[in-house]
Each structure stands twice: as C-alpha cells, then as structure tokens.
Amino acid sequence: MARALELALRGPAHGPNPRVGCVLVSPDGHPLGEGWHRGAGTPHAEVAALDDARGRGAVVRGATAVVTLEPCDHTGRTGPCSRALLDAGVSRVVIAVADPNPVAAGGAARLRAAGVDVVAGVSEQEGRAVLGPWLHAIEHGRPFVTLKLATSLDGRVAAADGSSRWITSQASRRDAHVLRAQVDAIAVGSGTAVTDDPALTARDEAGGLADHQPLRVVVGRRPAPANGRLRGPGGELVHAATHDPREVLALLHAREVRHLLVEGGPTIAAAFLRAGLVDEVRAYVAPVLLGAGRPAVADLGIGSIDGALRLEPHEVRRLGPDVLIVSRPRPHDPPPGTAQTIHLVRTPSEES
C-alpha cells in the first residue's frame, strides 16, 4: 500500500478526478505490475496496473490488487475498474479509502458479490491525505478552499499609497506559483481585479505559462476590466456575479472544481472566513513593517480576543527571507461573526 500511495502522488493534483495508485501482487507476494491515474480521460490506476503487468508478461489471474481508492463501478470516459479486475481474474483487492462518490461507488460490493476477497481501510488516513482536496470536495459537495495571504509582519498587503509589489520575496512568489499550478481555480474580488490588475496565471521557474492554468474567477457585481491582464493568456475567465461565498462555491462545484485558491483582497478573504468556508490558510509573511495600509483581512465581526479565529498550524517553512505558515481552522469551531451577515462587506477601494 505504501508503494500504491507513492504512485498515486505522481498523478496531477488538479482536475476533477482523484489521485489513485495501484500495485498488483502475485499469490506468493511478488509485484506483477503497477499504475496510477494520469488525469481525466486516461486509464484508471487499476487498468494501468493490469496493462503494466501484461506488458511484462505476468499472469494476473489469482493476484491481489492493492489500490488507494475503491475501484469504480461506473462507465464514464473509461469503463468500470471493478469489471476490469474481475475480467482479469484478480482474487483479492485491498483498498485504502472507500469511494464517497455515489456515481462511482459500488466497486467493492460488486467484487465481493463475485467472490473476490475485499479488504478495506488499510492505511486509510494516509490514503485520505493523498486524495486531499478531491476527497473533501466529494464529501462536502463544494471545493476545498485555500486562502492565500502575502503580508508584512504587521499584517499589511499594501502600503498606504496602495502599492503592494513586492512585499514578499521571489522565493515566496515562486512557491505561490507552484500552488497555482496545482489548484483548479483562483478567485479574487472585483475590486482587487480593478485595483491590482492581476493576471492570475501559474508560471514556471523560467517565467513562462505552466502547463496547467486554473480558472480565473472574479467575484462581485462588476466583471473584470475589459483591458485588464485577466483578459490575457491564461485560464478561462469566470465571472461570479454575487457577493455570497456559498454561491461562488456552488457555481464552481458544478464545474467540477475541487480546489479553489482565494487570493484577495481583504473583503473576499473576510467573507469566506466569516462564512466558515476556508479550509486552509497559506500565509507568506515577509520581514517587512509598513505601519499603515490595507490589512490582509477585513472586519470579521470579532469584538473581543475571546472570539478570535484560532488556527492549527500544519506546516512552517522558510522561503528565502520569508516564512510560510500553513494553518487550518480547528474542527468544530464556529466561524467568526456568525451572528452577522456572511455576504461581502465592500470597502470603497473594492466597490463591486
């Protein structure tokens, strides 16, 4: 299973489909073939492993398939993996995570009904970690939301005159572009689209466009500027003409977006936080002091330190002179300002 999980990580982090790995093992414990899902429209991990084994001349009848996600039982762009395993004569299937997708689930039941020995829940936590945002999106019916902040030590995202390039270092910006290349969509408020004129592209180390470009989402009543960089090369531009974060996520979920990156500004960051719809905060903090200027997050409706939104750090990493802190809201904590509206509260500079 450790090898299957390693293989799963070779698949793309973005896209509508999960990262899955599979290893075929002979009855006496020898590896016969392995595979992983390479993206939408390509063979699933089980079929890739079967093809690999056959390419090696291995006999797979009576083998064990070790797979990180329950084999699917439906026909989409490819056929059901449960039937492929049955047709190949596999006698045992070991699964890390049951498939929560009602459209694809049922493979384990079909295999058991056909007499295959099915063992589920092996290295389940590790499997859930590999599935990451995809699993969250399927289980919760909305994209996994990462809020990205790039701030000074005193929590500013722009100076008093509005200038913001560059607060963080090149190392932080490079890391942020790696993240952009892994998500399905990036969202900014319409005020930020006007004020900052962002491109919202994912770029490689050479500065060119990365192979994968996420959807570029502008949230608010106003569309993106007609001559702005958002109209240039990059991912598809989507206008979410609403101030309600839940409506934004519903729109994106319908487009099979599994991972949304919210990049700013302060108003949209506060709206998602107040709605309890942020699953992860990635804060790039530079050793810079501004003393004035735009804060990273607008008013959360918190009147006392007792009501502060406290996060659990999951990773702290040095990036050049900066520090990256990856945190997540604590389970069961209510969102801040729950007694107040969750819609965007607009500031003059972000009027949308």
Side-chain angles (χ1 to χ4, degrees), residues 2-13 18-22 35-37 45 68 130-131:
R3 175 59 177 167
L5 291 166
E6 181 183 323
L7 291 168
L9 289 171
R10 296 184 182 183
R19 295 166 120 181
V20 183
C22 179
W36 66 94
H37 184 50
T68 59
V130 168
L131 289 166

Side-chain angles (χ1 to χ4, degrees), residues 258-280:
R258 308 304 188 204
H259 192 176
L260 170 66
L261 177 62
V262 176
E263 285 220 357
T267 300
I268 190 174
F272 273 84
L273 286 167
R274 292 177 69 166
L277 295 174
V278 172
D279 304 297
E280 176 182 81

Side-chain angles (χ1 to χ4, degrees), residues 4-53:
L5 291 166
E6 181 183 323
L7 291 168
L9 289 171
R10 296 184 182 183
H14 55 81
N17 290 353
R19 295 166 120 181
V20 183
C22 179
V23 177
L24 293 172
V25 183
S26 69
D28 58 356
H30 288 88
L32 301 175
E34 59 185 33
W36 66 94
H37 184 50
R38 299 172 185 265
T42 66
H44 289 189
E46 299 91 327
V47 173
L50 289 170
D51 290 344
D52 182 50

Side-chain angles (χ1 to χ4, degrees), residues 25-27 32 59-64 88-92:
V25 183
S26 69
L32 301 175
V59 177
V60 297
R61 184 161 297 276
T64 293
V90 168
S91 63
R92 189 167 184 258

Side-chain angles (χ1 to χ4, degrees), residues 5 10 12 23 46 89 104 140 148 168 186 192 210 219-220 224 235 241 246 248 260 262 270 278 286:
L5 291 166
R10 296 184 182 183
V23 177
E46 299 91 327
H140 291 80
K148 176 206 153 190
T168 55
I186 306 175
T192 295
V219 179
R246 289 189 176 88
V248 176
L260 170 66
V262 176
V278 172

Side-chain angles (χ1 to χ4, degrees), residues 179-202:
L179 174 62
R180 284 183 176 186
Q182 294 175 345
V183 303
D184 301 307
I186 306 175
V188 296
S190 56
T192 295
V194 172
T195 302
D196 294 349
D197 190 26
L200 300 187
T201 53

Side-chain angles (χ1 to χ4, degrees), residues 284-334:
Y284 298 87
V285 183
V288 174
L289 294 171
L290 290 172
R294 281 196 297 168
V297 179
D299 182 15
L300 291 177
I302 298 172
S304 168
I305 192 67
D306 294 336
L309 176 59
R310 299 190 182 274
L311 310 175
E312 292 183 347
H314 283 248
E315 179 186 356
V316 179
R317 181 158 41 105
R318 179 82 176 264
L319 292 169
D322 305 336
V323 175
L324 168 64
I325 304 173
V326 182
S327 303
R328 293 176 185 169
R330 298 188 301 191
H332 313 304
D333 275 4

